Amino acid sequence: MHYYSSMRTAVSFQPRMPRGFTLVEISIVLVIMALVLGAGMSLLMAQVDSQRQAATRVKEETIRSALTNFISRNSRLPCPADPTLAAGDANFGVEAATPGTCTGIISTGAAPAVVVTGLVPWVSLGLAAETAADGFFNQFSYQVVASATNLNLRTIPGMRGYISLHSSGPGVLGQAPAGNQINDCSNGLAFNPCAAVAVIVSHGKNGFGAFLAGGARSSTAGTGADERANADNDSQYVRKDFSEIAGNRFDDVLLALTPNDLLAPLTQNGSLKDSRAAIIATTEQMKGAIIANAVSLRSGAAGAMQYPLPNALWFATNLTAPDPWGAAFEYTPVTSPISATTLPGAIAFTILSRGADNATPTTDDTLVAVTAGELQAAFAKVGL
């Protein structure tokens, strides 16, 4: 008999040791982390830039309001502040002297389109110094038509703009296809009412063209034609969307202000009369003076008085108030003398303002015609 003995084989189980990451796996993880962090940083920087651009626009609107308030107090726009002055100078941030020429400020162009360029005069505008710097901590540039800094209560409604905006640089006046101007609405008129009288420029994140301490400007050598156009001191500016096109990147933020942008709020709240209202008020005073002169020179018997109207030389010598654009009114006597038998509907005299374009006949002329009937009513009080 055979016996078979079964042997039990003892099997021992030991815990499995964890396998380490390979260099390839570690590299993949690091690449993924770098991509995630890079995307996050890019998003964060984009948000920061967007916030700074928004802050820049808010500051520009604050400066716009301050300019309108300055006009309400002084009936003119301020000169730029001198960019060559050091921060500790007593006149740092103060508008330059001599309105109309703006002493010491960069001046370009030919009359009447002379423009002056410098810094926002925040002290004269009653603003804090930080308001004159954009969201990227660069100084705003400020350009203004020189003649707009030398107006008064009577001439402020005739403020004119000569600063043009363009879709690209260099700027070419006129609408496409002849030009690339985007603020031309002259429609054949001699004067473009959509031209800007002042412009506030943020030179963006890259700061190319911004004024530096001591009056120098940040180099524009590393940027394209569009940003260079906004730092060459002439009256042609580029306003367009942001661009990352290599060789012509653009991140400037412009606020261009037409005369209407600045004057309309003052007209609406009654602080400033519009040009037509100013003309009517002035010509009413002139009409009174003409009536008084005619009364002083009247002749004839009661019931048959003759009231001679003064001639153009007398008008030019004695009634010198200019129209809202600084030009002389034109007076033309038509029917003289005036008596009780003069037809009431006859035109006695006219007073003309040639308007903003100082040309006639054009659509902006204002002609005030006074009839014999109006004068007869006035003369009747002293005896016709």
Side-chain angles (χ1 to χ4, degrees):
M1 175 179 286
H2 298 282
Y3 296 94
Y4 296 94
S5 61
S6 62
M7 298 179 64
R8 293 182 178 178
T9 302
V11 180
S12 62
F13 295 93
Q14 296 182 359
R16 187 174 182 179
M17 297 298 293
R19 182 175 64 88
F21 290 109
T22 67
L23 290 176
V24 172
E25 291 171 329
I26 292 174
S27 298
I28 292 173
V29 170
L30 290 175
V31 168
I32 292 173
M33 290 179 64
L35 291 173
V36 172
L37 289 173
M41 288 299 295
S42 297
L43 180 60
L44 177 61
M45 291 305 298
Q47 290 177 337
V48 170
D49 288 347
S50 178
Q51 291 173 349
R52 288 180 175 174
Q53 290 162 6
T56 295
R57 297 187 188 280
V58 169
K59 289 185 174 186
E60 287 180 336
E61 288 298 325
T62 300
I63 295 169
R64 177 219 287 257
S65 297
L67 289 172
T68 295
N69 291 335
F70 186 94
I71 292 173
S72 71
R73 298 190 306 270
N74 302 283
S75 300
R76 64 178 181 86
L77 279 168
C79 287
D82 189 344
T84 66
L85 298 179
D89 192 286
N91 290 317
F92 186 60
V94 178
E95 70 158 326
T98 321
T101 56
C102 303
T103 302
I105 300 300
I106 302 167
S107 178
T108 54
V114 175
V115 293
V116 284
T117 308
L119 300 179
V120 172
W122 68 90
V123 174
S124 301
L125 292 174
L127 298 173
E130 55 266 24
T131 306
D134 63 16
F136 300 97
F137 311 107
N138 296 312
Q139 292 290 318
F140 284 110
S141 297
Y142 166 63
Q143 183 179 99
V144 62
V145 174
S147 61
T149 68
N150 192 31
L151 301 172
N152 55 50
L153 186 59
R154 190 177 295 277
T155 60
I156 188 68
M159 179 189 293
R160 293 186 181 185
Y162 294 98
I163 301 171
S164 57
L165 304 178
H166 302 267
S167 58
S168 63
V172 181
L173 294 176
Q175 299 174 351
N180 59 3
Q181 188 175 351
I182 59 177
N183 70 332
D184 179 14
C185 62
S186 57
N187 295 321
L189 297 176
F191 175 69
N192 176 20
C194 292
V197 69
V199 63
I200 304 160
V201 185
S202 161
H203 296 276
K205 180 180 179 179
N206 62 34
F208 287 130
F211 282 105
L212 304 173
R217 301 193 84 161
S218 176
S219 173
T220 57
T223 188
D226 293 346
E227 288 192 336
R228 289 198 299 271
N230 292 345
D232 59 5
N233 302 324
D234 69 13
S235 60
Q236 295 179 327
Y237 284 83
V238 171
R239 187 175 68 185
K240 67 174 192 176
D241 293 335
F242 297 115
S243 172
E244 290 294 337
I245 297 175
N248 196 24
R249 289 182 170 83
F250 186 87
D251 64 359
D252 292 358
V253 182
L254 275 74
L255 178 62
L257 300 170
T258 67
N260 189 62
D261 291 332
L262 294 166
L263 300 181
L266 299 177
T267 301
Q268 291 166 3
N269 67 21
S271 300
L272 181 71
K273 295 179 179 179
D274 64 24
S275 59
R276 195 165 296 271
I279 288 172
I280 291 172
T282 302
T283 54
E284 280 298 311
Q285 295 175 350
M286 290 177 169
K287 184 167 70 174
I290 291 169
I291 290 173
N293 181 262
V295 169
S296 70
L297 297 176
R298 65 178 178 164
S299 62
M305 286 288 184
Q306 302 286 318
Y307 291 83
L309 298 180
N311 58 30
L313 178 60
W314 177 92
F315 181 92
T317 303
N318 294 278
L319 302 181
T320 58
D323 71 7
W325 297 275
F329 283 96
E330 297 179 16
Y331 163 75
T332 304
V334 178
T335 303
S336 181
I338 304 296
S339 68
T341 60
T342 306
L343 292 176
I347 301 298
F349 62 87
T350 62
I351 302 175
L352 171 69
S353 165
R354 291 173 173 257
D357 63 5
N358 198 29
T360 190
T362 53
T363 56
D364 67 346
D365 293 356
T366 300
L367 181 69
V368 176
V370 179
T371 65
E374 292 180 69
L375 298 186
Q376 286 167 336
F379 297 150
K381 297 176 181 179
V382 294
L384 273 173

